[in-house]
Amino acid sequence: MVDIRFDGTHRVRHPEETWTILDRLRTSFGVTRIADVTGLDTLGIPVALAVRPAARTRTVAPGGGTSPLLARVAAAMAAVERWHAEYACPAAGPQHAPAAGLQLPYDVRELPQQPGGLLGRHTPLDWVPADDAVTGAASWVPRDCVALDDEADGTWRPPMLRTTAAGLAGGNSYDEAVSHALYELIERRSTAALDAVPAQERAYVDPASVGDPVCAALLERIEESGTRVRIEYVHNDWDLPCFTAHLWSWEFPVPAYGSGAHSSPTVALQRALTEAARDRLAELTGAHEELRPDSAAPGEPAGRRVTWTELCCVFPRPPGFAEDTQERLWLARRIAGVAGRPPLVVDLSTRPEFSVVKVVAPGLGDLTRGPDGIRAPEPEAAP
């Protein structure tokens, strides 16, 4: 499908069309309400909440965007993605089967494990079909890497695989959904490694130097609300634009955090800023399951300062993507080059109008930590 680009996002379908489809089908996925909660904060950056009372995990899915429409789309898609991981995970193929007998293209021990995990090549697991994101070759991934379910069943299990929503993504097409998931995995891997970067080696973007009109408008709203913003460039193995955004104010002294990675610097920064606004409103509304403690006013970071212009000059120019398939293959090959293994795609789609996938990337490590030890917020559908 042909790629469409506009106002800080890349899609194969205009957001008005996507919203029409999601609004028509959302009750099929248990979404009973989508609320605009932008006015509950002083930032003015659009945030919406999608409510799903019968969820097996989180009943509320927040979404942020540069417009109310994009925020609604992000919230609705985030809820629909989770429904698929809860209710549409494929039935297990091989059951209670060890990885050693499946001729996998990866070592199962390369998948994220819980602390003290006991997973081994001979551990019996249930498996679901997956496809190599580069070649399309058929493979298997543990079902526990895909299915989301927080409901207690009274059964004790030893600590093994870590199940998260990282790599769960939706899109207007299969390739678009996979691309979103791959960008998110790059973002998570990059930000998880920030803890190990010495403070003096970090790079912070001067917000006043950002010339992109979409991002500049978001930053202006943040400044007018009296909220502090800190934008950090996150160096990564792919040399892709990746940023984190931290928000803090005296009126609500709880740190909010967002991150974004993309081939376009403006899209990456826009995602970091809208995710931070979404994260802050999730705290205000209680949509987060655990409230963070108040924090002191942040001091000046010890790293170097860079301007938006000089930073954008260092990014390699990505190839032009005429179609979403090209972008998906480009990203999958780059992740495979760093991880040493191809990313694997589990197709969870239940409707022809859009796609939902879970991408599992052996070899990328733990993707659950954000910078400075902050647990990264759950992924949302990118606006």
Side-chain angles (χ1 to χ4, degrees):
M1 298 181 73
V2 177
D3 193 24
I4 298 172
R5 301 169 184 235
F6 58 95
D7 289 344
T9 187
H10 297 185
R11 288 291 183 272
V12 300
R13 185 182 286 143
H14 285 282
E16 292 82 1
E17 300 174 72
T18 302
W19 171 248
T20 298
I21 293 170
L22 288 174
D23 193 36
R24 173 169 54 87
L25 298 175
R26 62 183 173 85
T27 56
S28 303
F29 305 108
V31 179
T32 59
R33 182 186 180 195
I34 298 178
D36 184 344
V37 295
T38 309
L40 297 179
D41 198 357
T42 58
L43 295 180
I45 296 176
V47 176
L49 299 179
V51 181
R52 197 164 51 93
R56 289 177 173 172
T57 55
R58 297 188 176 183
T59 57
V60 176
T66 57
S67 70
L69 172 63
L70 290 174
R72 289 199 306 273
V73 169
M77 184 60 81
V80 168
E81 290 165 3
R82 278 190 166 265
W83 181 94
H84 281 80
E86 294 169 2
Y87 292 99
C89 184
Q95 299 184 39
H96 308 295
L102 295 179
Q103 297 182 329
L104 302 174
Y106 63 94
D107 189 328
V108 70
R109 293 168 295 185
E110 296 173 330
L111 298 173
Q113 298 185 49
Q114 298 180 32
L118 304 176
L119 182 67
R121 296 181 65 248
H122 298 283
T123 304
L125 298 170
D126 293 343
W127 302 82
V128 294
D131 296 322
D132 185 312
V134 177
T135 67
S139 187
W140 302 97
V141 298
R143 196 173 190 274
D144 285 343
C145 288
V146 181
L148 295 177
D149 190 348
D150 291 343
E151 295 180 346
D153 61 4
T155 304
W156 179 86
R157 296 180 180 86
M160 286 193 290
L161 290 163
R162 184 193 295 275
T163 305
T164 74
L168 176 65
N172 294 296
S173 69
Y174 172 83
D175 291 304
E176 184 180 284
V178 175
S179 293
H180 293 169
L182 294 173
Y183 277 127
E184 180 186 271
L185 292 175
I186 289 173
E187 168 200 323
R188 298 285 157 172
R189 158 69 183 267
S190 304
T191 56
L194 266 178
D195 287 345
V197 179
Q200 65 273 15
E201 294 182 12
R202 295 192 178 191
Y204 298 90
V205 182
D206 178 7
S209 70
V210 177
D212 172 71
V214 175
C215 294
L218 294 173
L219 290 166
E220 184 178 1
R221 293 182 184 182
I222 293 171
E223 182 180 7
E224 289 177 349
S225 73
T227 301
R228 299 187 187 185
V229 59
R230 178 185 294 174
I231 302 169
E232 181 172 2
Y233 163 62
V234 185
H235 179 75
N236 56 85
D237 294 328
W238 297 272
D239 290 326
L240 280 176
C242 182
F243 301 97
T244 66
H246 290 258
L247 304 179
W248 189 93
S249 67
W250 286 106
E251 292 79 9
F252 188 64
V254 175
Y257 162 76
S259 57
H262 201 270
S263 61
S264 163
T266 58
V267 174
L269 180 57
Q270 174 248 309
R271 291 183 177 177
L273 293 171
T274 55
E275 187 177 273
R278 180 211 70 173
D279 190 48
R280 179 171 145 120
L281 253 169
E283 289 287 344
L284 282 165
T285 59
H288 279 165
E289 294 179 349
E290 297 179 1
L291 292 178
R292 297 173 192 158
D294 293 358
S295 67
E300 285 298 313
R304 58 192 176 93
R305 309 297 191 276
V306 296
T307 66
W308 180 252
T309 301
E310 68 177 291
L311 186 62
C312 289
C313 290
V314 306
F315 296 127
R317 182 177 295 275
F321 304 119
E323 296 182 345
D324 53 348
T325 303
Q326 297 171 349
E327 187 168 17
R328 186 256 299 174
L329 289 172
W330 179 74
L331 285 167
R333 291 186 180 114
R334 298 198 73 180
I335 286 185
V338 170
R341 301 285 187 273
L344 300 167
V345 183
V346 179
D347 192 348
L348 303 176
S349 305
T350 59
R351 301 283 308 194
E353 292 90 344
F354 57 85
S355 293
V356 177
V357 301
K358 174 63 185 281
V359 176
V360 178
L364 282 190
D366 186 1
L367 308 175
T368 61
R369 305 305 297 185
D372 307 315
I374 297 174
R375 179 163 292 277
E378 286 291 346
E380 68 165 306

